[in-house]
Amino acid sequence: MSNTTYNIRIDKKVREQADILYKSMGLSLSSAINLFLTQSVIQGKLPINEIIAEPAYANALERDAKEIDASITAGTAKVYETPDELFSAWDNEH
């Protein structure tokens, strides 16, 4: 297997936290990135089952999801026939 070098920009705080996390698993950051990329290729998608919102947004997202579920259950959810209709309504609201 031949290797190549690739430079990426990573937030310093995220890098430090990831280093600690992966070291606790016995992996280097480089190994973890290689694992992530390999799984992406194997699965043909991002190998992430769930994306967790930052805590500051989690409550708002949960509230909005409940409102949407309630409007669907009540039959009051607006249904758009086409994407253009949806985007037009969005533009008119904002």
Side-chain angles (χ1 to χ4, degrees):
M1 173 173 95
S2 65
N3 290 322
T4 185
T5 300
Y6 188 81
N7 293 321
I8 59 173
R9 293 188 196 324
I10 303 172
D11 179 271
K12 184 178 180 178
K13 187 176 268 188
V14 170
R15 158 101 194 247
E16 291 168 352
Q17 293 171 340
D19 273 333
I20 292 168
L21 172 66
Y22 293 124
K23 280 181 184 173
S24 75
M25 297 177 190
L27 295 170
S28 67
L29 185 56
S30 179
S31 295
I33 292 170
N34 274 305
L35 180 60
F36 176 84
L37 294 175
T38 301
Q39 285 300 307
S40 295
V41 171
I42 290 169
Q43 295 178 27
K45 63 178 186 169
L46 284 173
I48 299 172
N49 292 331
E50 181 178 327
I51 296 178
I52 300 173
E54 291 190 34
Y57 302 107
N59 290 338
L61 289 172
E62 185 175 350
R63 182 195 66 237
D64 291 347
K66 286 179 181 177
E67 287 177 15
I68 291 167
D69 287 344
S71 69
I72 291 170
T73 301
T76 58
K78 173 66 175 146
V79 177
Y80 299 96
E81 298 297 322
T82 66
D84 288 337
E85 185 182 342
L86 168 66
F87 294 130
S88 177
W90 174 268
D91 288 341
N92 291 334
E93 292 177 10
H94 295 90

